[in-house]
Amino acid sequence: AARWVTGYDGLSNDLTKAVLPHQRPEKVNAMIFNMRRPPFDDIRVRMAFNLVFDAGWVNENLFHGQYKRIQSFYPNSELSSENLPESERANLYVFPTASDRREMRVQFQEASTLLENAGWVVHDGKRVRQGSGKAFTFEILINKPEDEKIVLSLTKNLEKLGIFPTVRVADTATFRGRLNTYDFDMVLYYWLSSLSPGTEQILYWGCEAAKQESRWNFAGVCDPEIDALSKQIAFTKDRAALVDSVRRLDGKLRDKVMMIPLYYRGNDWAAYWQPLNHTSKTPLYGYVWETWWSDQSQ
């Protein structure tokens, strides 16, 4: 049910604001690893980075706690692997969100251990490759200055582990060019699917797309099982089979740890004139203005 609050800050008192829940997949906003390149070709490094990103702090302090953490490539929908049977869901990778500072300290320790097991040790306060002494360096590519506050929250914590990345805010043309050619180490971008995924999924996750420019396999994921599931989706015969295939694909994608996921809302925000009415049940894809009406004469 919607939550209703009379009045709207800065607007007339004859307006009502509402939070209208929906069930469409939301954008998968994330800091995406380029798994084609070291050091992000090692899943231990990718898992370590997820552990040091303080997702709870970022949500509370930058987004006023109004969002939910993404745990799926089809968040907020029945397509999510969160809807798999509990026995199958139990072994899926869960993107960590520490509930307090104590948990965060534990995650830092786990991250440091993962990095050391991957051959990255600390020398003179810097994380270096064991044997060669090569420093752990990489660049985070973003397109919007307002995204900088998100990635800086990650870099601040990485510095505590001896990793000192650079952040590059690129203009739109440069950003798009580098995105199309997969010329990045890590990029803040997104994927978006509908409630009826189809042939685009093989372009998101397929091995062939990972090697072709201007596709959407930004992370460079290449796995025979993911390929098979991605191709299968377009040939499903009914809705139940489609949903089952996408959920299983989602589980395989999560286990690749190809991103540090951000957040989604799961609802639409509306401010409207009080004489307006709308249906009590919101459609799966969210509100439809054409179905709203007023009983008050103009």
Side-chain angles (χ1 to χ4, degrees):
R3 294 188 288 111
W4 308 98
V5 184
T6 303
Y8 192 76
D9 294 343
L11 297 177
S12 171
N13 288 331
D14 63 353
L15 291 180
T16 292
K17 64 180 181 179
V19 178
L20 305 171
H22 62 76
Q23 298 175 57
R24 65 180 183 266
E26 295 225 17
K27 279 184 178 180
V28 186
N29 289 303
M31 289 177 275
I32 304 168
F33 300 110
N34 189 347
M35 301 189 300
R36 303 170 184 83
R37 299 179 175 182
F40 299 130
D41 56 347
D42 191 322
I43 193 171
R44 294 170 294 187
V45 173
R46 304 195 298 271
M47 292 174 70
F49 273 46
N50 269 281
L51 286 165
V52 300
F53 178 63
D54 196 344
W57 184 92
V58 170
N59 188 24
E60 288 298 324
N61 290 276
L62 300 185
F63 301 112
H64 309 289
Q66 298 184 65
Y67 291 83
K68 303 172 187 177
R69 184 81 193 279
I70 291 171
Q71 287 289 344
S72 166
F73 286 83
Y74 310 89
N76 195 59
S77 74
E78 66 172 341
L79 302 172
S80 169
S81 53
E82 295 290 289
N83 297 307
L84 284 169
E86 186 175 353
S87 58
E88 298 179 48
R89 197 171 65 245
N91 295 322
L92 292 178
Y93 179 79
V94 177
F95 295 98
T97 302
S99 59
D100 54 38
R101 305 316 300 167
R102 181 189 60 81
E103 281 192 13
M104 199 64 207
R105 285 195 294 270
V106 171
Q107 288 184 190
F108 262 88
Q109 293 170 357
E110 294 174 357
S112 184
T113 299
L114 282 168
L115 290 169
E116 288 173 6
N117 291 341
W120 294 99
V121 298
V122 176
H123 180 70
D124 291 337
K126 293 184 178 180
R127 190 72 57 169
V128 298
R129 190 70 181 175
Q130 192 169 24
S132 70
K134 181 180 179 181
F136 191 128
T137 60
F138 70 98
E139 179 187 77
I140 304 176
L141 180 66
I142 61 176
N143 183 217
K144 304 173 185 175
E146 57 265 34
D147 288 338
E148 195 167 5
K149 60 187 178 182
I150 299 174
V151 299
L152 288 179
S153 69
L154 172 65
T155 61
K156 181 180 178 181
N157 283 350
L158 287 173
E159 289 172 1
K160 297 175 183 177
L161 292 175
I163 299 172
F164 300 87
T166 57
V167 178
R168 169 75 184 277
V169 184
D171 62 77
T172 300
T174 301
F175 181 85
R176 176 53 61 179
R178 292 185 61 179
L179 193 69
N180 287 344
T181 58
Y182 312 125
D183 181 21
F184 57 85
D185 301 314
M186 177 187 284
V187 64
L188 200 161
Y189 202 58
Y190 67 89
W191 292 281
L192 179 63
S193 294
S194 72
L195 274 169
S196 297
T199 53
E200 80 285 348
Q201 297 300 302
I202 195 64
L203 300 180
Y204 286 178
W205 321 119
C207 289
E208 188 175 347
K211 303 170 186 175
Q212 295 177 334
E213 294 185 1
S214 302
R215 298 301 186 184
W216 300 283
N217 191 340
F218 307 118
V221 60
C222 180
D223 181 283
E225 288 186 79
I226 290 175
D227 256 22
L229 284 167
S230 299
K231 292 174 182 176
Q232 175 183 322
I233 287 170
F235 298 98
T236 52
K237 301 297 183 181
D238 54 54
R239 180 68 184 176
L242 173 68
V243 171
D244 182 68
S245 294
V246 177
R247 288 176 179 173
R248 296 182 188 283
L249 171 62
D250 186 37
K252 294 292 182 183
L253 293 171
R254 282 174 56 171
D255 286 344
K256 290 295 181 183
V257 197
M258 68 182 77
M259 63 176 180
I260 301 175
L262 299 178
Y263 314 93
Y264 72 98
R265 278 210 317 252
N267 49 59
D268 296 313
W269 297 344
Y272 63 94
W273 184 46
Q274 286 183 7
L276 285 175
N277 296 299
H278 62 88
T279 56
S280 60
K281 186 175 182 180
T282 306
L284 292 179
Y285 270 97
Y287 62 81
V288 179
W289 287 126
E290 289 81 4
T291 65
W292 289 47
W293 71 94
S294 172
D295 296 326
Q296 180 173 311
S297 59
Q298 298 295 323

